[in-house]
C-alpha cells in the first residue's frame, strides 16, 4: 500500500517534470530538470527493487549526462532560438503512436507475474545455481559479469566506440577542426 | 575560477571521497549494488569535478588526454584478454571457470578482472567525453 502511494507520487512528479522540460525555453533550466527527471526515475527503480539499475540511472542520468548537456550548452548557447509552433500532423502522429503503444500494453503480462517467459526460462537456473557455480552474493553481478559476460563485453565495446566517435567529431579541439587525420599537429 | 573559494575548498574535500567511494562500488559490486560500470562513472566524476573547478588545463596536467585514450582501450583489451585466457586455458571465450584451480575461484578472478576492465574503460570514456566537450 505504502509502495503504491509512493509510486503514484513519483509517477506524478515524473509527468510534471516532463511537462516542465517541454515548456522550458531556457536550456540551462531544462538540463537541470532532466537531471531531476533521472533522479525520480532512479527512485522508481528503487521502489521496483532494482537497486543496481537505480544506481546506474542516478550516476549516469543525473550525473554525467547533466554535465555533458552543460558542456554542449557551453558550445551552443543557453537559450532556445526558435519558438515552437504546434503542428497538427505531428500531433496526430504522436497521438496515434501513443494510442497504439497503450493498446499494445494490454498484451503484456501483469506486473510481477511468475509465469511469464522472462521468469520461467533461465531465471530459475540462475537463482538456484549462482551461489554454487559463481559464489558471488550479488546475483545481478553474477548474471552480468559471468552468465551474460558476452553481452557485457558488447556493452563495454559500445561505450568505447561511443567515446571514439565523440573524439572523431569533437576531440581535436576547435583550433584545427579541418584535418581529422593529421595527428602530428594536434 | 580564481575567486570561487568555497567551490575550490569543497571540491578538494570531495574529490578523494568520490574516488574512495568509486573504488568501494567497484570492489563491493560482488556483494551489493554496484560494479564496474557505476564505479567507472563515479570515478570519472572526480576528474570532471576537478576539471570544472580548476579548469581543463589543470586537468590535462593531472591526466593527459593521450593517457585517458590509452586507458579506454586498455580496459576493453583487459576484458577481451580475460576471454582469450579462457580459450587458452582450455575453456570457451569468457569462461572464467578454467582460470584458476577450482571453478568458483576462477569465476571470482574472472569477474574481478572484467569488472576492472569495464570500470577503466567507462571512467576513461567519460573523461574523454568531458575533454571533447570542454577543451578550448
Amino acid at each position: 500500500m505504502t509502495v503504491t502511494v509512493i509510486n503514484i507520487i513519483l509517477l506524478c512528479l515524473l509527468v510534471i517534470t516532463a511537462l516542465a522540460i517541454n515548456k522550458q525555453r531556457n536550456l540551462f533550466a531544462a538540463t537541470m530538470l532532466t537531471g531531476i527527471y533521472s533522479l525520480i526515475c532512479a527512485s522508481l527503480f528503487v521502489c521496483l527493487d532494482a537497486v543496481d539499475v537505480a544506481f546506474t540511472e542516478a550516476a549516469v542520468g543525473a550525473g554525467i549526462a547533466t554535465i555533458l548537456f552543460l558542456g554542449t550548452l557551453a558550445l551552443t548557447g543557453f537559450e532556445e532560438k526558435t519558438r515552437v509552433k504546434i503542428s497538427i500532423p505531428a500531433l496526430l502522429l504522436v497521438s496515434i503512436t501513443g494510442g497504439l503503444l497503450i493498446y499494445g500494453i494490454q498484451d503484456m503480462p501483469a506486473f510481477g507475474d511468475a509465469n511469464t517467459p522472462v521468469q520461467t526460462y533461465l531465471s530459475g537456473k540462475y537463482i538456484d545455481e549462482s551461489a554454487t557455480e559463481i559464489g558471488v552474493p550479488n546475483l545481478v553481478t553474477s548474471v552480468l559479469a559471468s552468465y551474460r559476460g558476452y553481452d557485457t563485453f558488447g556493452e563495454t565495446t559500445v561505450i568505447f566506440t561511443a567515446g571514439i566517435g565523440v573524439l572523431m567529431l569533437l576531440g581535436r579541439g576547435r583550433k584545427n577542426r579541418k584535418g581529422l587525420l593529421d595527428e602530428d599537429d594536434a | 575560477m580564481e575567486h570561487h573559494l568555497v567551490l575550490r575548498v569543497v571540491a578538494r574535500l570531495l574529490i578523494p571521497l568520490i574516488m574512495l567511494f568509486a573504488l568501494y562500488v567497484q570492489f563491493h559490486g560482488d556483494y551489493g549494488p554496484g560494479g564496474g560500470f557505476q564505479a567507472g562513472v563515479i570515478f570519472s566524476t572526480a576528474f570532471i569535478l576537478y576539471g570544472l573547478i580548476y579548469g581543463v588545463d589543470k586537468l590535462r596536467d593531472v591526466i593527459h588526454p593521450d593517457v585517458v585514450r590509452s586507458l579506454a582501450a586498455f580496459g576493453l583489451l583487459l576484458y577481451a584478454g580475460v576471454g582469450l585466457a579462457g580459450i587458452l586455458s582450455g575453456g570457451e571465450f569468457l569462461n572464467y571457470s578454467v582460470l584458476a584451480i577450482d571453478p568458483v575461484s576462477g569465476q571470482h578472478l574472472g569477474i574481478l578482472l572484467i569488472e576492472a576492465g569495464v570500470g577503466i574503460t567507462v571512467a576513461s570514456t567519460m573523461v574523454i567525453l568531458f575533454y571533447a566537450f570542454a577543451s578550448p
Side-chain angles (χ1 to χ4, degrees):
Chain A
M1 182 59 204
T2 328
V3 178
T4 319
V5 174
I6 293 173
N7 275 338
I8 289 170
I9 294 171
L10 285 175
L11 284 168
C12 288
L13 282 174
L14 213 55
V15 173
I16 292 169
T17 321
L19 290 175
I21 294 171
N22 202 21
K23 287 238 30 109
Q24 192 57 248
R25 291 280 84 90
N26 183 339
L27 294 176
F28 181 78
T31 304
M32 289 303 149
L33 284 169
T34 48
I36 293 172
Y37 188 90
S38 290
L39 221 53
I40 299 170
C41 273
S43 318
L44 267 174
F45 291 140
V46 173
C47 287
L48 291 169
D49 283 339
V51 270
D52 284 84
V53 186
F55 204 162
T56 317
E57 179 67 45
V60 177
I64 292 285
T66 311
I67 288 177
L68 290 181
F69 272 131
L70 289 179
T72 317
L73 290 185
L75 295 176
T76 56
F78 284 82
E79 278 295 328
E80 198 170 321
K81 289 220 176 73
T82 46
R83 305 294 298 175
V84 186
K85 282 191 255 77
I86 293 177
S87 145
I88 300 295
L91 187 67
L92 262 174
L93 195 68
V94 169
S95 309
I96 291 171
T97 317
L100 282 175
L101 285 173
I102 291 172
Y103 177 72
I105 285 175
Q106 295 180 340
D107 244 9
M108 281 174 66
F111 177 69
D113 188 356
N115 297 316
T116 58
V118 180
Q119 318 287 6
T120 51
Y121 178 45
L122 274 173
S123 310
K125 177 181 152 27
Y126 291 159
I127 293 166
D128 290 339
E129 294 176 15
S130 167
T132 48
E133 259 184 10
I134 315 286
V136 163
N138 185 2
L139 189 63
V140 177
T141 299
S142 80
V143 171
L144 282 181
S146 186
Y147 290 117
R148 291 272 178 258
Y150 207 82
D151 296 12
T152 309
F153 184 51
E155 281 165 23
T156 315
T157 317
V158 166
I159 291 166
F160 178 70
T161 318
I164 299 293
V166 172
L167 261 186
M168 296 284 282
L169 291 170
L170 292 173
R172 318 304 306 184
R174 261 168 282 167
K175 280 172 236 148
N176 46 353
R177 268 263 176 87
K178 18 186 212 309
L180 274 179
L181 292 172
D182 41 359
E183 178 81 34
D184 295 332
D185 54 5
Chain B
M1 275 289 170
E2 288 304 315
H3 48 282
H4 288 299
L5 182 67
V6 175
L7 275 180
R8 277 188 285 143
V9 171
V10 172
R12 189 163 293 184
L13 279 174
L14 274 179
I15 285 168
L17 287 177
I18 292 172
M19 287 176 153
L20 194 65
F21 182 60
L23 291 175
Y24 167 78
V25 172
Q26 171 86 44
F27 293 108
H28 205 260
D30 295 2
Y31 304 96
F37 190 85
Q38 293 92 329
V41 170
I42 295 170
F43 203 75
S44 70
T45 320
F47 289 102
I48 292 174
L49 181 63
Y50 186 86
L52 284 174
I53 302 292
Y54 296 95
V56 183
D57 290 328
K58 279 275 174 67
L59 180 62
R60 200 169 279 133
D61 292 341
V62 174
I63 185 159
H64 197 269
D66 290 343
V67 179
V68 188
R69 287 173 210 171
S70 315
L71 278 175
F74 170 75
L76 193 61
L77 288 174
L78 179 63
Y79 201 139
V82 173
L84 288 177
I87 295 182
L88 292 177
S89 315
E92 300 88 359
F93 185 64
L94 290 174
N95 180 356
Y96 317 133
S97 298
V98 293
L99 290 178
I101 307 155
D102 62 303
V104 171
S105 49
Q107 290 285 348
H108 278 263
L109 180 67
I111 290 176
L112 186 78
L113 287 174
I114 67 120
E115 292 278 13
V118 173
I120 293 169
T121 295
V122 170
S124 321
T125 307
M126 296 306 158
V127 178
I128 286 177
L129 293 183
F130 178 71
Y131 267 131
F133 280 103
S135 58

